[in-house]
Amino acid sequence: MAERLKIPGLAGELAAEFAGTLILILFGVGVVAQVVAGGIGNHDSIAWAWGLGVTLGVYVAGRISGAHLNPAVTVALAVFKGFSWRKVLPYSLAQLAGAFAAALIVRWNYSEVLAKLDPGHTIKTQGVFSTLPGNGALPVHTGGALRDQIIGTAILLFLILAVTDLRNSAPAANLAPFIVGLIVVAIGMAWGTDAGYAINPARDLGPRLASFVTGYGTAFRDQYGGLYFWVPIVGPLIGAVLGAGLYQVLIGRFLPPEEAPEPGRVPTEAELEKA
């Protein structure tokens, strides 16, 4: 019998990050398309579908890569938790590729209803794919949106570290993805007004690129005409480092030392029992 091909560790991790982010965006961008273009659902359904998308994406990729699904998470884990810096760019590119591919699928599937609602593919439906200050309608500008993204992502990373830290009151391994999903639901319900709670550079840039190559000529700009695409990239990266740092200062340094798995991975049952 021919020897089975062994996939290198990093290749498997990147495949998992691609697949997990793909699942996340299929549900997240898909629900926004349904609400905006199809008129079915509301803000609550958007918040829940994004949270469930995170949960399902983490279940898909958690054991192999840790299911970061977010370059901001990857960077924060490299800064504070010893995650390998050599993996940061490959992980981020895999996440971006997964988000881009998923958004293309959503764009294709909802092409008829998007065209009926917005034949010119303008800013009117751009929010289906990427975020805008004040969700394209409220009086929020670049500064307010950047502030919002920093705060929202800081909350996200603070809580992710809290619920995945084996030295803390971590949930059982099979529940951790569900709790992380609930964190995203809560952020969506409380912090979705000023900038659409992207809190993830790949989540915003991947679909933004997909919309641009499929006819949205103003994809990189906001409703005021200014270049906006950088805000959901820079804001989350700053916020992630800030939130993870605050966790270390306020909680992490006071917890007793314990042996932990590779940073960023969802703890297994056996590891939790050891802890």
Side-chain angles (χ1 to χ4, degrees):
M1 183 182 289
E3 188 177 331
R4 293 178 66 184
L5 180 65
K6 292 182 179 178
I7 300 176
L10 182 58
E13 292 170 27
L14 298 183
E17 285 296 306
F18 175 89
T21 311
L22 179 86
I23 294 299
L24 162 62
I25 300 301
L26 284 175
F27 284 97
V29 172
V31 72
V32 182
Q34 179 166 273
V35 171
V36 172
I40 301 170
N42 53 32
H43 174 75
D44 284 356
S45 57
I46 290 173
W48 278 107
W50 273 110
L52 289 170
V54 169
T55 295
L56 297 171
V58 175
Y59 275 125
V60 165
R63 185 59 62 88
I64 298 173
S65 69
H68 300 183
L69 315 185
N70 182 342
V73 171
T74 302
V75 168
L77 292 174
V79 172
F80 291 103
K81 291 293 185 177
F83 184 76
S84 174
W85 277 102
R86 73 177 180 84
K87 294 182 179 181
V88 170
L89 182 58
Y91 264 51
S92 298
L93 291 175
Q95 294 152 4
L96 180 63
F100 178 78
L104 285 179
I105 294 170
V106 174
R107 175 74 173 87
W108 178 38
N109 189 62
Y110 282 94
S111 57
E112 295 90 352
V113 290
L114 285 168
K116 181 176 181 180
L117 178 66
D118 182 18
H121 302 310
T122 68
I123 205 79
K124 182 177 181 180
T125 56
Q126 174 57 40
V128 166
F129 300 95
S130 52
T131 58
L132 293 163
N135 292 310
L138 298 171
V140 179
H141 291 264
T142 302
L146 181 63
R147 174 196 64 218
D148 174 87
Q149 286 300 284
I150 292 171
I151 295 171
T153 316
I155 294 169
L156 175 69
L157 264 293
F158 189 99
L159 293 174
I160 285 177
L161 292 190
V163 301
T164 60
D165 192 337
L166 295 180
R167 302 170 303 151
N168 206 342
S169 301
N174 59 340
L175 283 179
F178 179 67
I179 301 302
V180 172
L182 286 181
I183 292 169
V184 174
V185 172
I187 291 173
M189 288 184 169
W191 292 88
T193 297
D194 282 2
Y197 73 107
I199 56 176
N200 179 341
R203 168 269 173 272
D204 193 85
L205 183 58
R208 194 180 293 273
L209 288 169
S211 66
F212 180 74
V213 301
T214 59
Y216 284 84
T218 59
F220 295 101
R221 298 185 178 275
D222 59 23
Q223 65 268 34
Y224 310 111
L227 281 177
Y228 182 77
F229 74 94
W230 62 272
V231 173
I233 298 172
V234 174
L237 291 173
I238 296 172
V241 173
L242 179 62
L246 284 172
Y247 176 79
Q248 291 298 105
V249 169
L250 297 176
I251 304 296
R253 67 192 179 107
F254 298 113
L255 293 171
E258 286 284 354
E259 200 173 313
E262 181 181 355
R265 293 191 182 278
V266 176
T268 66
E269 294 287 354
E271 287 163 345
L272 286 166
E273 287 172 9
K274 270 178 68 176

